[in-house]
């Protein structure tokens, strides 16, 4: 007997968790990469172009499969699409490697001067 998978998305800011369909997601694509950020792209076809954002820039999410975390990331792009006959919203999330690509890590060192 095959077990059906249940995919949910947890918005970290207010701890709201829904299925992908519950968020209005019409398509999702997760791309895994080595030594680069993993990316999750969500499309919400039919979402209002001028509606309230579900995931603000910089907000954190967790994609879960059967209750287990499968991807954790930050919203890095929130493009909106509008055509005369359709509108929609897309969200792009990047995994933890994003920090390594965008933040300069520095550490202060203290040296002992034995001459003094």
């Amino acid at each position: 007997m095959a077990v059906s998978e249940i995919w949910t998305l947890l918005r970290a800011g207010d701890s709201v968790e829904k299925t992908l369909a519950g968020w209005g997601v019409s398509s999702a694509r997760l791309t895994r990469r080595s030594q680069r950020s993993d990316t999750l792209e969500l499309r919400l076809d039919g979402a209002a172009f001028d509606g309230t954002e579900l995931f603000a820039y910089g907000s954190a999410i967790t994609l879960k499969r059967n209750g287990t975390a499968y991807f954790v990331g930050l919203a890095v792009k929130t493009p909106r699409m509008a055509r005369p006959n359709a509108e929609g919203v897309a969200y792009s999330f990047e995994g933890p490697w994003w920090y390594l690509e965008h933040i300069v890590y520095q550490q202060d060192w203290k040296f002992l001067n034995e001459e003094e």
Side-chain angles (χ1 to χ4, degrees), residues 26-112:
S26 52
S27 68
R29 183 174 67 184
L30 178 62
T31 305
R32 300 279 191 181
R33 298 182 179 128
S34 176
Q35 297 184 10
R36 282 188 61 197
S37 283
D38 297 336
T39 58
L40 173 64
E41 296 175 4
L42 303 177
R43 287 185 56 119
L44 286 73
D45 294 333
F49 177 83
D50 57 351
T52 305
E53 285 186 332
L54 293 177
F55 309 102
Y57 177 82
S59 63
I61 57 100
T62 302
L63 177 67
K64 295 182 178 182
R65 183 176 75 179
N66 297 329
T68 303
Y70 194 77
F71 171 83
V72 176
L74 297 174
V76 295
K77 295 179 188 170
T78 58
R80 296 167 182 266
M81 302 162 286
R83 291 181 225 103
N85 60 348
E87 55 186 319
V89 179
Y91 294 97
S92 182
F93 302 92
E94 291 196 24
W97 196 278
W98 180 90
Y99 291 106
L100 295 173
E101 293 175 344
H102 293 88
I103 297 176
V104 176
Y105 287 90
Q106 298 178 1
Q107 180 177 356
D108 292 331
W109 290 76
K110 293 184 181 188
F111 293 97
L112 176 63

